[in-house]
mmCIF file of all heavy atoms in Angstrom:
data_model
loop_
_atom_site.group_PDB
_atom_site.id
_atom_site.type_symbol
_atom_site.label_atom_id
_atom_site.label_comp_id
_atom_site.label_asym_id
_atom_site.label_seq_id
_atom_site.Cartn_x
_atom_site.Cartn_y
_atom_site.Cartn_z
ATOM 1 N N ASN A 24 -13.435 51.147 -8.829
ATOM 2 C CA ASN A 24 -12.904 52.268 -9.611
ATOM 3 C C ASN A 24 -11.421 52.479 -9.362
ATOM 4 O O ASN A 24 -10.675 52.841 -10.281
ATOM 5 C CB ASN A 24 -13.687 53.544 -9.295
ATOM 6 C CG ASN A 24 -15.030 53.596 -9.996
ATOM 7 O OD1 ASN A 24 -15.106 53.627 -11.217
ATOM 8 N ND2 ASN A 24 -16.098 53.594 -9.222
ATOM 9 N N ALA A 29 -5.880 52.342 -11.510
ATOM 10 C CA ALA A 29 -4.499 51.862 -11.398
ATOM 11 C C ALA A 29 -4.042 51.163 -12.671
ATOM 12 O O ALA A 29 -2.935 51.411 -13.171
ATOM 13 C CB ALA A 29 -4.374 50.924 -10.199
ATOM 14 N N ALA A 33 -2.195 53.719 -15.498
ATOM 15 C CA ALA A 33 -0.767 53.416 -15.624
ATOM 16 C C ALA A 33 -0.416 53.007 -17.049
ATOM 17 O O ALA A 33 0.626 53.416 -17.601
ATOM 18 C CB ALA A 33 -0.383 52.307 -14.650
ATOM 19 N N PHE A 38 2.126 54.329 -22.360
ATOM 20 C CA PHE A 38 2.126 54.275 -23.821
ATOM 21 C C PHE A 38 1.590 55.546 -24.480
ATOM 22 O O PHE A 38 1.463 55.615 -25.703
ATOM 23 C CB PHE A 38 1.310 53.070 -24.298
ATOM 24 C CG PHE A 38 1.910 51.749 -23.900
ATOM 25 C CD1 PHE A 38 1.498 51.096 -22.747
ATOM 26 C CD2 PHE A 38 2.903 51.161 -24.672
ATOM 27 C CE1 PHE A 38 2.041 49.884 -22.373
ATOM 28 C CE2 PHE A 38 3.458 49.947 -24.312
ATOM 29 C CZ PHE A 38 3.035 49.306 -23.148
ATOM 30 N N GLY A 39 1.293 56.573 -23.683
ATOM 31 C CA GLY A 39 0.870 57.857 -24.226
ATOM 32 C C GLY A 39 -0.482 57.853 -24.904
ATOM 33 O O GLY A 39 -0.702 58.600 -25.868
ATOM 34 N N ALA A 42 -6.897 58.144 -25.172
ATOM 35 C CA ALA A 42 -8.141 57.420 -24.945
ATOM 36 C C ALA A 42 -8.117 56.694 -23.600
ATOM 37 O O ALA A 42 -9.099 56.721 -22.852
ATOM 38 C CB ALA A 42 -8.371 56.417 -26.078
ATOM 39 N N ASP A 53 -15.580 58.924 -11.030
ATOM 40 C CA ASP A 53 -16.407 57.889 -10.419
ATOM 41 C C ASP A 53 -15.938 57.576 -9.003
ATOM 42 O O ASP A 53 -16.751 57.322 -8.106
ATOM 43 C CB ASP A 53 -16.364 56.606 -11.259
ATOM 44 C CG ASP A 53 -16.932 56.814 -12.653
ATOM 45 O OD1 ASP A 53 -17.623 57.824 -12.856
ATOM 46 O OD2 ASP A 53 -16.672 55.976 -13.529
ATOM 47 N N GLN A 80 -33.857 62.979 3.871
ATOM 48 C CA GLN A 80 -34.048 62.462 2.516
ATOM 49 C C GLN A 80 -33.360 63.295 1.447
ATOM 50 O O GLN A 80 -32.961 62.772 0.409
ATOM 51 C CB GLN A 80 -35.551 62.377 2.191
ATOM 52 C CG GLN A 80 -36.335 61.420 3.067
ATOM 53 C CD GLN A 80 -36.944 62.136 4.264
ATOM 54 O OE1 GLN A 80 -36.382 63.106 4.763
ATOM 55 N NE2 GLN A 80 -38.081 61.661 4.727
ATOM 56 N N ILE A 82 -30.529 64.765 1.497
ATOM 57 C CA ILE A 82 -29.072 64.650 1.445
ATOM 58 C C ILE A 82 -28.652 63.750 0.290
ATOM 59 O O ILE A 82 -27.649 64.004 -0.387
ATOM 60 C CB ILE A 82 -28.528 64.125 2.788
ATOM 61 C CG1 ILE A 82 -28.767 65.172 3.891
ATOM 62 C CG2 ILE A 82 -27.044 63.796 2.674
ATOM 63 C CD1 ILE A 82 -28.296 64.751 5.253
ATOM 64 N N LEU A 109 -5.838 66.041 -30.863
ATOM 65 C CA LEU A 109 -6.315 65.837 -32.230
ATOM 66 C C LEU A 109 -5.713 66.862 -33.181
ATOM 67 O O LEU A 109 -5.362 66.551 -34.332
ATOM 68 C CB LEU A 109 -7.843 65.932 -32.262
ATOM 69 C CG LEU A 109 -8.543 65.573 -33.569
ATOM 70 C CD1 LEU A 109 -8.248 64.129 -33.957
ATOM 71 C CD2 LEU A 109 -10.035 65.798 -33.451
ATOM 72 N N ALA A 124 -5.427 46.066 -20.999
ATOM 73 C CA ALA A 124 -5.845 46.955 -19.907
ATOM 74 C C ALA A 124 -7.318 47.324 -20.035
ATOM 75 O O ALA A 124 -8.056 47.354 -19.034
ATOM 76 C CB ALA A 124 -4.979 48.211 -19.912
ATOM 77 N N ASP A 131 -14.151 44.621 -15.050
ATOM 78 C CA ASP A 131 -14.249 45.290 -13.754
ATOM 79 C C ASP A 131 -15.554 46.075 -13.645
ATOM 80 O O ASP A 131 -16.306 45.948 -12.670
ATOM 81 C CB ASP A 131 -13.038 46.216 -13.578
ATOM 82 C CG ASP A 131 -13.033 46.901 -12.222
ATOM 83 O OD1 ASP A 131 -13.498 46.290 -11.242
ATOM 84 O OD2 ASP A 131 -12.568 48.061 -12.142
ATOM 85 N N ARG A 137 -23.314 45.106 -12.189
ATOM 86 C CA ARG A 137 -24.267 44.073 -11.793
ATOM 87 C C ARG A 137 -24.434 44.011 -10.271
ATOM 88 O O ARG A 137 -25.550 43.852 -9.762
ATOM 89 C CB ARG A 137 -23.795 42.709 -12.313
ATOM 90 C CG ARG A 137 -23.771 42.591 -13.822
ATOM 91 C CD ARG A 137 -25.149 42.655 -14.431
ATOM 92 N NE ARG A 137 -25.989 41.551 -13.992
ATOM 93 C CZ ARG A 137 -27.261 41.393 -14.333
ATOM 94 N NH1 ARG A 137 -27.842 42.301 -15.105
ATOM 95 N NH2 ARG A 137 -27.956 40.365 -13.906
ATOM 96 N N ALA A 144 -31.693 46.926 -6.041
ATOM 97 C CA ALA A 144 -33.023 46.417 -6.389
ATOM 98 C C ALA A 144 -33.967 46.506 -5.197
ATOM 99 O O ALA A 144 -35.167 46.729 -5.361
ATOM 100 C CB ALA A 144 -32.917 44.977 -6.880
ATOM 101 N N ILE A 170 -11.880 51.155 -29.455
ATOM 102 C CA ILE A 170 -11.891 51.486 -30.883
ATOM 103 C C ILE A 170 -10.675 52.332 -31.239
ATOM 104 O O ILE A 170 -10.002 52.118 -32.255
ATOM 105 C CB ILE A 170 -13.189 52.220 -31.254
ATOM 106 C CG1 ILE A 170 -14.389 51.268 -31.097
ATOM 107 C CG2 ILE A 170 -13.131 52.757 -32.683
ATOM 108 C CD1 ILE A 170 -15.730 51.951 -31.270
ATOM 109 N N LEU A 176 -3.320 50.335 -33.337
ATOM 110 C CA LEU A 176 -2.693 49.091 -33.748
ATOM 111 C C LEU A 176 -2.775 48.872 -35.256
ATOM 112 O O LEU A 176 -1.914 48.204 -35.847
ATOM 113 C CB LEU A 176 -3.356 47.905 -33.030
ATOM 114 C CG LEU A 176 -3.185 47.859 -31.503
ATOM 115 C CD1 LEU A 176 -3.981 46.711 -30.910
ATOM 116 C CD2 LEU A 176 -1.706 47.741 -31.124
ATOM 117 N N LEU A 182 -7.243 57.934 -34.456
ATOM 118 C CA LEU A 182 -8.445 57.419 -33.809
ATOM 119 C C LEU A 182 -8.352 57.471 -32.287
ATOM 120 O O LEU A 182 -9.375 57.451 -31.596
ATOM 121 C CB LEU A 182 -8.705 55.974 -34.258
ATOM 122 C CG LEU A 182 -9.269 55.787 -35.669
ATOM 123 C CD1 LEU A 182 -9.500 54.313 -35.951
ATOM 124 C CD2 LEU A 182 -10.563 56.576 -35.828
ATOM 125 N N ILE A 199 -24.763 65.570 -16.849
ATOM 126 C CA ILE A 199 -25.929 66.439 -16.985
ATOM 127 C C ILE A 199 -27.207 65.687 -16.638
ATOM 128 O O ILE A 199 -28.099 66.211 -15.954
ATOM 129 C CB ILE A 199 -26.004 67.018 -18.414
ATOM 130 C CG1 ILE A 199 -24.859 68.010 -18.639
ATOM 131 C CG2 ILE A 199 -27.353 67.695 -18.656
ATOM 132 C CD1 ILE A 199 -24.768 68.526 -20.061
ATOM 133 N N ASP A 256 -68.529 61.630 5.777
ATOM 134 C CA ASP A 256 -69.844 61.918 6.360
ATOM 135 C C ASP A 256 -69.690 62.894 7.521
ATOM 136 O O ASP A 256 -68.996 62.618 8.501
ATOM 137 C CB ASP A 256 -70.483 60.608 6.835
ATOM 138 C CG ASP A 256 -71.872 60.809 7.424
ATOM 139 O OD1 ASP A 256 -72.377 61.948 7.410
ATOM 140 O OD2 ASP A 256 -72.452 59.807 7.905
ATOM 141 N N ILE A 267 -60.678 57.204 10.995
ATOM 142 C CA ILE A 267 -60.605 57.188 9.533
ATOM 143 C C ILE A 267 -59.358 57.916 9.050
ATOM 144 O O ILE A 267 -58.649 57.448 8.148
ATOM 145 C CB ILE A 267 -61.873 57.815 8.932
ATOM 146 C CG1 ILE A 267 -63.076 56.910 9.172
ATOM 147 C CG2 ILE A 267 -61.690 58.076 7.424
ATOM 148 C CD1 ILE A 267 -64.393 57.527 8.785
ATOM 149 N N ASN A 277 -47.817 53.525 3.647
ATOM 150 C CA ASN A 277 -47.401 52.180 3.263
ATOM 151 C C ASN A 277 -47.145 52.051 1.766
ATOM 152 O O ASN A 277 -46.617 51.019 1.324
ATOM 153 C CB ASN A 277 -48.456 51.155 3.693
ATOM 154 C CG ASN A 277 -48.457 50.916 5.197
ATOM 155 O OD1 ASN A 277 -47.440 51.119 5.866
ATOM 156 N ND2 ASN A 277 -49.585 50.501 5.741
ATOM 157 N N PRO A 290 -66.391 67.677 6.060
ATOM 158 C CA PRO A 290 -67.745 67.109 5.934
ATOM 159 C C PRO A 290 -68.197 67.241 4.482
ATOM 160 O O PRO A 290 -68.077 68.321 3.893
ATOM 161 C CB PRO A 290 -68.596 67.987 6.858
ATOM 162 C CG PRO A 290 -67.631 68.810 7.640
ATOM 163 C CD PRO A 290 -66.382 68.913 6.850
ATOM 164 N N ARG A 320 -65.955 69.945 -9.686
ATOM 165 C CA ARG A 320 -65.385 68.610 -9.898
ATOM 166 C C ARG A 320 -64.328 68.364 -8.830
ATOM 167 O O ARG A 320 -63.498 69.217 -8.560
ATOM 168 C CB ARG A 320 -64.758 68.509 -11.295
ATOM 169 C CG ARG A 320 -64.224 67.122 -11.598
ATOM 170 C CD ARG A 320 -63.832 67.022 -13.056
ATOM 171 N NE ARG A 320 -64.985 67.102 -13.938
ATOM 172 C CZ ARG A 320 -65.742 66.049 -14.261
ATOM 173 N NH1 ARG A 320 -65.473 64.872 -13.764
ATOM 174 N NH2 ARG A 320 -66.769 66.186 -15.075
ATOM 175 N N GLY A 324 -61.413 63.664 -10.042
ATOM 176 C CA GLY A 324 -62.110 63.619 -11.306
ATOM 177 C C GLY A 324 -63.547 63.154 -11.193
ATOM 178 O O GLY A 324 -64.239 63.039 -12.207
ATOM 179 N N ARG A 332 -71.079 67.106 -2.987
ATOM 180 C CA ARG A 332 -69.679 67.496 -2.785
ATOM 181 C C ARG A 332 -69.506 68.984 -2.994
ATOM 182 O O ARG A 332 -70.264 69.628 -3.705
ATOM 183 C CB ARG A 332 -68.763 66.717 -3.728
ATOM 184 C CG ARG A 332 -68.657 65.239 -3.384
ATOM 185 C CD ARG A 332 -67.506 64.624 -4.135
ATOM 186 N NE ARG A 332 -67.386 63.210 -3.828
ATOM 187 C CZ ARG A 332 -68.024 62.262 -4.492
ATOM 188 N NH1 ARG A 332 -68.800 62.566 -5.506
ATOM 189 N NH2 ARG A 332 -67.874 60.989 -4.144
ATOM 190 N N ALA A 334 -67.571 72.532 -4.228
ATOM 191 C CA ALA A 334 -67.289 72.984 -5.598
ATOM 192 C C ALA A 334 -65.847 73.271 -5.866
ATOM 193 O O ALA A 334 -65.499 73.699 -6.940
ATOM 194 C CB ALA A 334 -68.131 74.233 -5.902
#
Side-chain angles (χ1 to χ4, degrees):
N24 282 297
F38 295 95
D53 298 344
Q80 297 93 329
I82 293 179
L109 188 60
D131 183 33
R137 295 294 297 177
I170 294 173
L176 295 175
L182 285 181
I199 291 174
D256 182 3
I267 291 172
N277 287 335
R320 183 171 293 275
R332 290 193 180 88

